[in-house]
Amino acid sequence: FHSLLLDYASIASPEDIRSFLTPALAEHSLHLLSTRAGTKVVCECAAYGTVKDRKKMLKCLKGYTRSSLKHRDAYLAVLRMCDVMDDTVLVNKMLLGELHQNPDNEKNEDDEENKPSPILDLVLSDTGSKLFLLLLVAKEEMSSSDDDKATPRWHKLLDPYEVSALHQNPTVTENGEEVPTSKKESGTRRRELLVYLKELLVDVC
């Protein structure tokens, strides 16, 4: 079923994804994250969805940020939500706030000094670490290769599939014009999200 949804999302126009697919799936986003195909569908819905539908998707992921970031596929959905949501306060409340809680809270409540960083497990994770990498590297920063072809530096942090799932600047057509689905500049969004994680990143270093 997830593969069929991905097949549709692959050929559907951004407007169809926005108007038909996303409203139907927004409240079921979490159930799609168990597979690679389902996660890619969620990424596309997040890319082209309305503010209202994105908030529904965000609500579905609340409480599952850490487990999603450590999942072989689901982490991409978290990265995508952070990448397109203009309301960074809500992203922090629904997603990033969970990262301030130590997963081993019960074991360490009597040993405050030796308590590990709440994000240590994510920093050491192949998938979870990519959230921090993408927030630390500016999307507009370019790097030159040997063939003199400049590419975005963040592309070098991901494999081709991840880059395709996180394609930049999604747009939809409204009244004959291409309109970005996110109003906020990516650099502004990145800096705002980093504020919420700055203390954790400093401590883990």
Side-chain angles (χ1 to χ4, degrees):
F1 179 65
H2 291 187
S3 296
L4 289 175
L5 287 174
L6 180 57
D7 287 343
Y8 174 76
S10 300
I11 61 173
S13 67
E15 294 72 37
D16 285 342
I17 294 175
R18 184 182 183 87
S19 300
F20 303 112
L21 190 63
T22 307
L25 299 178
E27 295 181 335
H28 307 285
S29 299
L30 185 63
H31 302 295
L32 293 170
L33 300 186
S34 60
T35 67
R36 186 180 178 95
T39 299
K40 183 70 177 292
V41 172
V42 171
C43 288
E44 290 299 284
C45 289
Y48 298 111
T50 62
V51 172
K52 180 180 179 180
D53 286 330
R54 285 175 175 174
K55 287 182 178 180
K56 289 180 181 178
M57 297 172 72
L58 205 58
K59 187 176 181 180
C60 282
L61 297 178
K62 185 178 181 181
Y64 295 93
T65 306
R66 186 181 301 277
S67 58
S68 295
L69 284 172
K70 296 174 72 174
H71 188 273
R72 67 182 187 278
D73 301 310
Y75 72 99
L76 281 172
V78 176
L79 302 189
R80 196 47 161 166
M81 294 304 297
C82 291
D83 196 41
V84 299
M85 284 286 295
D86 286 330
D87 190 345
T88 52
V89 174
L90 187 62
V91 171
N92 177 56
K93 180 180 179 181
M94 294 290 192
L95 293 182
L96 303 185
E98 180 187 333
L99 304 186
H100 289 265
Q101 302 169 12
N102 199 302
D104 298 319
N105 233 2
E106 297 180 1
K107 300 178 183 178
N108 294 280
E109 56 185 9
D110 296 326
D111 192 6
E112 195 71 28
E113 289 187 6
N114 296 323
K115 183 183 295 185
S117 166
I119 62 170
L120 181 61
D121 59 328
L122 298 175
V123 170
L124 298 177
S125 163
D126 289 340
T127 53
S129 60
K130 292 183 179 180
L131 169 66
F132 309 113
L133 290 173
L134 290 183
L135 290 180
L136 290 168
V137 176
K139 293 290 192 303
E140 60 273 13
E141 188 174 339
M142 306 295 285
S143 66
S144 298
S145 56
D146 294 336
D147 59 5
D148 294 325
K149 183 179 180 181
T151 56
R153 188 180 173 194
W154 67 276
H155 281 195
K156 295 184 177 296
L157 304 174
L158 308 174
D159 64 38
Y161 184 82
E162 292 169 329
V163 171
S164 70
L166 301 174
H167 57 87
Q168 294 300 288
N169 306 315
T171 62
V172 292
T173 302
E174 292 183 359
N175 300 320
E177 296 184 3
E178 293 292 312
V179 179
T181 60
S182 299
K183 297 180 179 180
K184 191 172 289 184
E185 292 289 333
S186 63
T188 301
R189 185 186 303 109
R190 182 180 66 85
R191 288 189 293 272
E192 290 177 358
L193 291 175
L194 268 177
V195 169
Y196 299 116
L197 296 176
K198 181 179 180 180
E199 185 176 337
L200 288 176
L201 288 169
V202 171
D203 288 344
V204 80
C205 291

